[in-house]
Amino acid sequence: MHGVVLITFPAARKYGISFCLQTLTVLNPFHTPEVAALQDTDLAGPLVFCLAFGGFLLLSGKVHFSYIYGIGVLGCLSMWALLSLMSAQGVTIGTVVTVLGYCLLPMVGLSGVNVILSLQGYVGIVLTSVAILWCSLSASKLFVTALAMDHQQPLVLYPCALLYGVFALITIF
Amino acid sequence: MNYNANTGSRPALGRKVKRVSDVNSMGYTPYDPAQGVQSNIYPNLGSESPAPSAYQQNFANQQFTTPNQNYGVPQGNPPVYGFNQPGPYSNVPPTPNAQFGTVFGQPIVQDMALQYGQQLANTGKSMLKQEVEKFVPVNSLKYYFAVDTKYVLSKLMLLFFPFTHKDWSVKYEQDGPVQPRFEINAPDLYIPTMAYVTYVLVAGMVLGMQQKFTPEQIGIIASSALAWFVVELALYSCTLYIANIKTTLRTFDLLAFSGYKFVGIIVSILVSLVGARTAYYSCLIYVNLALAFFLVRTLKAQVLVEVNTQPSYYGDAVPSSGNKRRLYFLLFVAAVQPVLSWWLSFHLIGNASPEKTVSE
């Protein structure tokens, strides 16, 4: 798949690679990612995902772009502060934005599902929890790998889960 | 990371001299850096660059933002050069005008631009760090976040059931207490911070279940909890100061100890979803008892230990009165916690949980 991207879109080669790599990494939270894949700061992918999220919410009748933006910025800043205090080497805000943005993908799926069926029953709760857990697992896995933090993945997972929980709150209510 | 396609084949042109001025020499023989006017093109890089003339600075800034405008070179050189550098660059071979448009496609220009951007970012970062360091002592704060999963889990268990824990003393290294990662009795700030944020979210969720939720509520809850937190901290600090109690307790330690009650508040609120007020109140009472026990034991190890180590010039008079004051302070801290826990959560409890009325 990478070969296809490389050959057919040479102009988009750089963005194509990181986009595909990151998306694939997010989709499989149990697979250990390579550290090199996380070094470049890609803000285009997260932006695409945020816009898709807002677009699906729009389809459900909720115009919440300002909330998404506000919570996104606030969440990224707080995660950056927390991670730079918790990790030995510190973290750039670009890395935080990239990881958190890419791991929003399951939440985009959830908002897509929300267009078709309402998420307020038991099925909705289960789906929402799965989506939040998936997002947080991927994000914490990426953070722990990139920052070489040992025995701290659940500690990183919890704030990510809180952040994605707020996004889920916007989706459902 | 270098995304340039021409990495392998591009000749190294003056790369060792990493200055914006080298842009001038792209495609040509390296420009003689002995000319003093070169160094003036290095704009806005903190204090280490010599102050360039504002005009040249303007030019150097503009060359990266408006590549297609054709600025007339001030010193009267004809605008034939691809880059419109000011100054007497007359010994550079004249660039044909056709190259001007493609000049930014050349990889060396992109590299220069990348370096320039990176250096700007680095300067910005170091400036930001300095500013932040003024308000928040980052290094001492890092100590409180040096936790791992085992510590957090054990600490949470300790908060709910401290009655069987035997050893409450904190081990010290040469320059301070051991990191929380290695010492369960040391205070940390991770749990209080997470508990505070969770409290705000859980409060929002509970209000949502009672149909009383608006997004402004989150802001109101968050800021009022923060305000009470600050008031409590100020109260403790004033008490310590007025009663002249000397302890090794730092402000961050007090912050940590005050923040532990949020864990109890969260659990009480969640329990109130299952039962009604009875469950809420019983849970609140138990959690606060456990917290009071925990605080008294922990603070006793830290506040009262001064008595034995300080040399006393007044015989036994000072330690004993200091002892009583310290004890009162401990009891005061332990007594404030339940009051504040109740105050911060009772308005979130509904009269009857909605699930019960719906399901029956």
Side-chain angles (χ1 to χ4, degrees):
Chain A
M1 177 185 174
H2 301 157
V4 170
V5 172
L6 276 171
I7 292 170
T8 56
F9 300 107
R13 185 158 51 182
K14 167 192 166 194
Y15 294 106
I17 293 180
S18 64
F19 187 78
C20 287
L21 265 182
Q22 300 265 35
T23 315
L24 286 177
T25 316
V26 168
L27 288 177
N28 187 2
F30 300 109
H31 159 68
T32 313
E34 311 90 24
V35 183
L38 308 162
Q39 292 302 337
D40 47 340
T41 306
D42 176 14
L43 296 182
L47 206 60
V48 164
F49 285 152
C50 283
L51 286 176
F53 183 60
F56 277 131
L57 283 185
L58 198 63
L59 285 178
S60 323
K62 303 174 194 162
V63 190
H64 285 326
F65 285 99
S66 53
Y67 284 127
I68 298 173
Y69 176 69
I71 294 174
V73 169
L74 199 63
C76 285
L77 279 178
S78 349
M79 265 322 279
W80 168 70
L82 184 71
L83 283 177
S84 56
L85 285 173
M86 273 177 75
S87 74
Q89 67 210 50
V91 62
T92 57
I93 192 160
T95 317
V96 174
V97 173
T98 309
V99 172
L100 286 179
Y102 270 107
C103 296
L104 196 63
L105 185 59
M107 204 49 66
V108 176
L110 187 74
S111 60
V113 167
N114 192 27
V115 175
I116 306 174
L117 51 93
S118 161
L119 286 174
Q120 300 217 8
Y122 285 120
V123 175
I125 294 185
V126 167
L127 271 179
T128 313
S129 331
V130 165
I132 295 180
L133 203 62
W134 188 358
C135 291
S136 325
L137 263 177
S138 316
S140 57
K141 190 84 187 175
L142 282 171
F143 276 131
V144 164
T145 314
L147 302 174
M149 303 161 78
D150 56 338
H151 301 298
Q152 282 178 328
Q153 188 179 351
L155 300 187
V156 179
L157 189 138
Y158 186 68
C160 292
L162 287 181
L163 176 64
Y164 290 122
V166 174
F167 278 115
L169 262 180
I170 317 180
T171 312
I172 304 179
F173 294 116
Chain B
M1 293 185 98
N2 196 346
Y3 300 107
N4 283 317
N6 303 330
T7 309
S9 55
R10 192 163 38 81
L13 288 178
R15 289 295 298 248
K16 36 191 181 310
V17 181
K18 290 193 190 293
R19 296 198 301 196
V20 171
S21 57
D22 279 336
V23 154
N24 214 13
S25 63
M26 47 166 200
Y28 309 119
T29 53
Y31 193 63
D32 182 6
Q35 298 236 349
V37 72
Q38 293 282 359
S39 57
N40 289 337
I41 308 299
Y42 218 35
N44 289 345
L45 285 182
S47 50
E48 65 266 18
S49 61
S53 72
Y55 197 81
Q56 287 173 333
Q57 202 172 12
N58 197 22
F59 253 71
N61 281 338
Q62 300 264 7
Q63 80 193 19
F64 286 102
T65 53
T66 59
N68 291 323
Q69 293 187 29
N70 202 356
Y71 287 102
V73 179
Q75 277 79 359
N77 287 335
V80 185
Y81 304 148
F83 237 169
N84 295 324
Q85 292 293 324
Y89 299 151
S90 49
N91 55 349
V92 174
T95 318
N97 238 351
Q99 271 200 20
F100 183 61
T102 61
V103 92
F104 274 90
Q106 295 206 10
I108 191 171
V109 179
Q110 290 173 354
D111 276 349
M112 291 303 162
L114 203 64
Q115 275 178 27
Y116 176 64
Q118 278 176 356
Q119 294 209 348
L120 267 188
N122 283 338
T123 318
K125 235 195 304 193
S126 58
M127 268 173 32
L128 183 68
K129 238 188 252 200
Q130 281 178 353
E131 293 299 317
V132 168
E133 187 70 32
K134 276 197 246 177
F135 295 108
V136 174
V138 175
N139 285 329
S140 45
L141 206 52
K142 273 198 171 186
Y143 160 79
Y144 290 98
F145 282 93
V147 294
D148 62 351
T149 318
K150 193 164 70 70
Y151 169 84
V152 170
L153 287 176
S154 332
K155 194 81 175 191
L156 285 175
M157 270 190 358
L158 203 61
L159 278 173
F160 286 114
F161 200 74
F163 309 108
T164 52
H165 190 69
K166 294 286 176 276
D167 178 19
W168 295 89
S169 57
V170 179
K171 299 185 214 7
Y172 276 76
E173 291 179 317
Q174 296 103 327
D175 49 351
V178 179
Q179 282 188 342
R181 187 190 285 256
F182 305 115
E183 167 61 66
I184 189 176
N185 290 319
D188 74 306
L189 277 176
Y190 175 83
I191 294 179
T193 322
M194 290 300 120
Y196 170 72
V197 176
T198 313
Y199 159 72
V200 172
L201 290 178
V202 164
M205 189 184 78
V206 162
L207 283 181
M209 293 170 110
Q210 298 168 13
Q211 318 301 329
K212 283 194 271 179
F213 178 77
T214 61
E216 288 84 21
Q217 286 286 348
I218 290 206
I220 296 178
I221 295 171
S223 42
S224 66
L226 196 64
W228 280 111
F229 195 62
V230 170
V231 163
E232 184 187 356
L233 206 63
L235 204 58
Y236 292 154
S237 307
C238 287
T239 311
L240 280 177
Y241 180 73
I242 290 176
N244 201 21
I245 303 175
K246 290 187 183 28
T247 72
T248 49
L249 275 185
R250 302 159 56 196
T251 319
F252 285 136
D253 291 342
L254 283 176
L255 230 121
F257 290 131
S258 316
Y260 283 138
K261 67 170 172 304
F262 283 110
V263 182
I265 296 178
I266 295 168
V267 174
S268 309
I269 297 180
L270 288 176
V271 161
S272 82
L273 287 179
V274 177
R277 298 199 143 191
T278 32
Y280 164 70
Y281 278 118
S282 42
C283 183
L284 198 66
I285 291 175
Y286 170 73
V287 160
N288 279 311
L289 266 178
L291 187 66
F293 189 87
F294 170 83
L295 277 180
V296 166
R297 281 289 167 94
T298 309
L299 289 179
K300 198 156 66 169
Q302 298 205 2
V303 171
L304 291 183
V305 80
E306 295 305 299
V307 176
N308 299 323
T309 57
Q310 277 178 355
S312 148
Y313 297 112
Y314 302 100
D316 289 334
V318 169
S320 61
S321 62
N323 217 354
K324 208 156 64 162
R325 271 181 285 146
R326 291 168 208 272
L327 201 58
Y328 283 156
F329 174 71
L330 278 184
L331 293 176
F332 171 63
V333 168
V336 164
Q337 306 294 316
V339 172
L340 275 179
S341 313
W342 175 77
W343 182 257
L344 285 174
S345 52
F346 80 99
H347 58 277
L348 297 169
I349 310 301
N351 285 325
S353 56
E355 287 90 41
K356 276 204 174 151
T357 51
V358 167
S359 61
E360 282 163 6

